[in-house]
């Protein structure tokens, strides 16, 4: 359903980090997020930053994750 191995790997990492009390922030509507760059996610998954960017775009397009700006992080979505 997620598309491919890279999407599954990135989604799993996002799910883990977003549910980690030490790493994530919780919003009033109950969603979780954390600030991470493509290179940071790439380092954690073993993918390149470009592979992570493409995987995230596919996950966004498929409705598996949402993106938005949070808590004054002007360039974070």
């Amino acid at each position: 359903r997620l598309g491919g191995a890279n999407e599954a790997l990135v989604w799993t990492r996002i799910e883990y980090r977003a549910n980690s009390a030490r790493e994530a922030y919780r919003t009033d509507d109950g969603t979780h997020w954390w600030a991470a760059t493509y290179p940071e996610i790439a380092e954690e998954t073993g993918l390149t930053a470009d592979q992570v960017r493409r995987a995230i775009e596919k996950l966004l397009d498929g409705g598996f994750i949402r993106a938005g700006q949070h808590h004054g992080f002007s360039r974070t979505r």
Side-chain angles (χ1 to χ4, degrees), residues 37-73:
T37 64
Y38 296 139
E40 290 171 335
I41 297 171
E43 184 177 324
E44 293 182 8
T45 59
L47 300 172
T48 67
D50 194 47
Q51 287 173 311
V52 169
R53 180 190 53 76
R54 287 192 308 265
I56 288 176
E57 287 173 3
K58 288 180 182 177
L59 292 170
L60 287 166
D61 290 344
F64 296 103
I65 60 174
R66 291 185 297 159
Q69 292 182 334
H70 296 287
H71 302 286
F73 290 90

Side-chain angles (χ1 to χ4, degrees), residues 6-51:
N6 289 355
E7 290 81 16
L9 188 58
V10 170
W11 184 87
T12 300
R13 198 62 184 164
I14 290 171
E15 180 72 11
Y16 171 77
R17 287 291 188 175
N19 287 313
S20 171
R22 293 177 302 148
E23 300 290 335
Y25 301 93
R26 184 180 178 122
T27 61
D28 292 336
D29 68 359
T31 59
H32 294 85
W33 68 278
W34 97 102
T37 64
Y38 296 139
E40 290 171 335
I41 297 171
E43 184 177 324
E44 293 182 8
T45 59
L47 300 172
T48 67
D50 194 47
Q51 287 173 311

